[in-house]
Amino acid sequence: VQLQASGGGLVQTGESLRLSCEVAGSIFSIKSMHWYRQAPGSQREWVAGTTNGGVSTYTDSVKGRFTISRDNLKNAMYLQMNSLKPEDTGVYYCNANLMLSQYISRDYWGQGTQVTVSS
């Protein structure tokens, strides 16, 4: 089982990007999925998350600009990022807590995708 993240790139301030994260491999179900990011010289920080119940939460700095969504049929998660700012620059990682069976769950990380916002 792997998480495959994509969609990063270089954009200017105010532009948009859409990140994708897909679960590759056979799983029982998805418990939760999250996006994290790590700016140069900084620790990895949580950005947004979504649960099976459909609840989405965001860190304060991206509220109103980023939207997290899931496609349960595709076992995929997306992060629509609008009105991007230079401080959004970093490597974005997807994280998922996956049920491998009815009783076994495991945490997975994607490989990271670079987002660079120029001023």
Side-chain angles (χ1 to χ4, degrees):
V1 175
Q2 292 181 329
L3 296 184
Q4 298 174 340
S6 62
L10 171 63
V11 296
Q12 294 185 339
T13 298
E15 295 184 339
S16 300
L17 280 174
R18 185 175 186 245
L19 305 183
S20 299
C21 176
E22 296 191 11
V23 179
S26 178
I27 62 171
F28 185 74
S29 67
I30 299 173
K31 289 182 67 176
S32 65
M33 297 187 82
H34 302 266
W35 287 100
Y36 287 76
R37 66 186 179 190
Q38 186 167 17
S42 299
Q43 291 187 331
R44 191 174 299 186
E45 64 169 347
W46 174 81
V47 175
T50 177
T51 67
N52 261 349
V55 176
S56 297
T57 50
Y58 304 89
T59 191
D60 285 346
S61 63
V62 308
K63 284 180 181 177
R65 300 188 297 120
F66 290 11
T67 303
I68 191 171
S69 61
R70 270 171 59 172
D71 184 333
N72 290 325
L73 292 179
K74 295 182 178 180
N75 284 341
M77 169 180 66
Y78 308 97
L79 186 67
Q80 178 65 43
M81 305 186 295
N82 298 329
S83 302
L84 282 162
K85 304 175 180 180
E87 51 263 43
D88 295 317
T89 294
V91 179
Y92 283 69
Y93 298 91
C94 58
N95 165 267
N97 191 256
L98 306 176
M99 297 297 294
L100 303 182
S101 70
Q102 188 175 0
Y103 305 106
I104 299 173
S105 66
R106 183 178 171 183
D107 218 43
Y108 289 86
W109 288 90
Q111 80 280 16
T113 184
Q114 176 71 44
V115 172
T116 303
V117 185
S118 63
S119 57

